[in-house]
């Protein structure tokens, strides 16, 4: 009997020791989260899959549409349920800055310098880069060395350069305007489908193509006989952003989601699976011929104006 009571006393003591730990431990995150997203489906799906795997008790509702419709919906529901707006250019967020609440993710300390010090009202979530793919066999035959934007003006490349619509893959208006204007400066009247640009350059129908970086990496991964060229004058690039609407219900869940998608786990997965360039210094592609972000020079407004304003082909 004494042995029985001693055993029960020991069990009671152990249980009592555990109770404070359970009481003080944080409960798993739960509740709902509303997302207003203009992101491409593969990017949004990867975010949701990884987030729900880590936080299965949070139910995520999504309104997915074009950037214009997303911001219109967010404005229309201002003061209602709120939520997190995903995707859109810096200009889009700045134009309705009053709709958003300030929040700086702890991950900002790991962002590239150019993006780390921006407004706490919106947070960069990925980078967009326009680059060149070049068929070296054809350019060697033509006697042309393509090193950047200016070299595409060589008259020997007339009718030999194609481009894909930058607006179809990037929300960055400055980037889109530059690529479109530059295409006009070298007499390309309209963009072509990404698959056409890639296949035509690989096949030697065109000497070079202006493409979104993800497509250049796809060529690189398929071992196509092309070179990826990052312009010596600078790359047309920018970021897409996210922001938390003021008055958002379950605001902590919105912060949690923003922290997660700017964290290294998701950013590395997006680079590895979707070939998306990260805003973080500690995430890169690790592929040959694909420049690390720290070595990329971004085109400034003056350079863009000069490149698109010069109409005379280089000799």
């Amino acid at each position: 009997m004494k042995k029985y009571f001693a055993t029960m006393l020991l069990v009671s003591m152990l249980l009592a020791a555990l109770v404070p730990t359970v009481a003080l431990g944080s409960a798993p995150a739960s509740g709902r989260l509303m997302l207003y997203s203009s992101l491409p489906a593969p990017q949004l799906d990867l975010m949701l899959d990884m987030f729900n795997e880590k936080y299965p008790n949070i139910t995520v509702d999504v309104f997915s549409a074009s950037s214009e419709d997303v911001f219109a919906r967010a404005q229309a529901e201002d003061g209602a349920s709120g939520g997190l707006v995903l995707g859109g250019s810096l200009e889009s967020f700045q134009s309705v800055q009053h709709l958003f609440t300030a929040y700086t993710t702890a991950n900002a300390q790991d962002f590239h310098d150019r993006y780390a010090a921006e407004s706490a009202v919106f947070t960069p979530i990925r980078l967009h880069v326009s680059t060149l793919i070049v068929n070296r066999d054809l350019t060697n035959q033509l006697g042309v060395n393509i090193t950047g934007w200016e070299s595409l003006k060589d008259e020997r490349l007339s009718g030999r350069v194609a481009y894909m619509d930058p607006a179809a893959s990037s929300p960055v208006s400055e980037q889109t305007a530059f690529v479109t204007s530059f295409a006009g400066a070298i007499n390309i009247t309209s963009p072509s489908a990404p698959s056409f640009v890639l296949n035509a350059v690989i096949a030697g129908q065109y000497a070079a193509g202006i493409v979104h970086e993800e497509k250049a990496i796809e060529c690189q991964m398929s071992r196509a006989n092309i070179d990826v060229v990052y312009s010596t004058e600078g790359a047309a690039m920018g970021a897409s952003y996210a922001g938390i609407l003021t008055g958002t219900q379950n605001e902590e869940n919105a912060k949690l989601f923003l922290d997660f998608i700017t964290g290294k786990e998701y950013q590395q997965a997006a680079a590895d699976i979707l070939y998306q360039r990260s805003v973080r210094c500690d995430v890169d592609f690790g592929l040959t011929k694909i420049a690390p972000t720290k070595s990329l020079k971004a085109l400034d407004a003056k350079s863009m104006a000069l490149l698109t304003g010069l109409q005379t082909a280089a000799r």
Side-chain angles (χ1 to χ4, degrees):
M1 180 67 71
K2 289 182 179 179
K3 184 177 181 181
Y4 170 78
F5 280 116
T7 302
M8 291 300 295
L9 179 60
L10 178 60
V11 171
S12 299
M13 291 173 65
L14 289 173
L15 288 173
L18 289 173
V19 168
T21 304
V22 173
L24 294 174
S26 57
S30 61
R32 306 189 77 87
L33 171 63
M34 183 69 197
L35 300 180
Y36 301 89
S37 171
S38 60
L39 300 179
Q43 183 180 2
L44 181 60
D45 290 345
L46 182 62
M47 284 180 176
L48 293 176
D49 288 346
M50 293 184 66
F51 182 77
N52 283 330
E53 183 176 352
K54 190 166 186 176
Y55 302 103
N57 296 322
I58 297 178
T59 300
V60 182
D61 301 306
V62 180
F63 172 78
S64 183
S66 67
S67 182
E68 294 79 7
D69 289 342
V70 162
F71 279 91
R73 179 69 171 266
Q75 285 182 282
E77 296 188 0
D78 182 27
S81 61
L84 182 66
V85 176
L86 291 173
S89 66
L90 182 61
E91 297 86 350
S92 296
F93 278 91
Q94 288 175 330
S95 67
V96 289
Q97 183 167 328
H98 63 282
L99 294 178
F100 296 92
T101 189
Y103 176 65
T104 302
T105 175
N107 292 315
Q109 64 184 352
D110 297 309
F111 292 171
H112 288 283
D113 290 343
R114 183 181 176 189
Y115 302 97
E118 291 182 334
S119 171
V121 178
F122 27 80
T123 303
I125 57 175
R126 63 160 294 192
L127 303 183
H128 302 265
V129 177
S130 292
T131 189
L132 311 177
I133 53 172
V134 176
N135 185 309
R136 286 297 182 195
D137 291 338
L138 181 54
T139 54
N140 287 339
Q141 290 176 24
L142 296 171
V144 179
N145 182 29
I146 296 177
T147 59
W149 305 106
E150 190 65 38
S151 59
L152 292 180
K153 296 178 179 179
D154 193 303
E155 62 182 7
R156 290 166 291 185
L157 292 173
S158 179
R160 300 277 194 162
V161 181
Y163 85 107
M164 57 177 282
D165 182 6
S169 55
S170 172
V172 184
S173 55
E174 188 178 45
Q175 178 184 7
T176 297
F178 167 74
V179 173
T180 303
S181 297
F182 183 82
I186 58 175
N187 299 318
I188 310 177
T189 56
S190 59
S192 299
S195 58
F196 174 82
V197 176
L198 299 179
N199 293 330
V201 174
I202 292 170
Q205 182 179 351
Y206 285 83
I210 304 170
V211 300
H212 191 60
E213 185 180 41
E214 292 167 38
K215 297 301 180 182
I217 294 176
E218 285 180 17
C219 284
Q220 175 80 355
M221 297 299 289
S222 67
R223 300 184 183 278
N225 186 30
I226 56 97
D227 284 347
V228 179
V229 174
Y230 293 89
S231 174
T232 54
E233 298 96 344
M237 62 184 294
S240 53
Y241 293 79
I244 301 172
L245 292 165
T246 299
T248 290
Q249 296 177 12
N250 300 311
E251 185 176 305
E252 291 306 311
N253 287 346
K255 293 177 180 178
L256 199 63
F257 193 90
L258 193 53
D259 289 343
F260 179 77
I261 64 173
T262 55
K264 186 172 182 179
E265 180 184 6
Y266 168 77
Q267 290 280 315
Q268 189 65 64
D272 294 341
I273 299 170
L274 303 177
Y275 309 138
Q276 292 181 349
R277 189 171 285 273
S278 177
V279 295
R280 294 180 61 98
C281 297
D282 54 0
V283 173
D284 244 314
F285 298 115
L287 301 171
T288 58
K289 299 184 181 180
I290 304 301
T293 305
K294 64 182 180 181
S295 71
L296 283 183
K297 173 187 174 184
L299 274 176
D300 56 29
K302 182 178 179 181
S303 298
M304 289 182 184
L306 287 172
L307 287 165
T308 55
L310 294 174
Q311 302 295 322
T312 304
R315 302 289 179 177

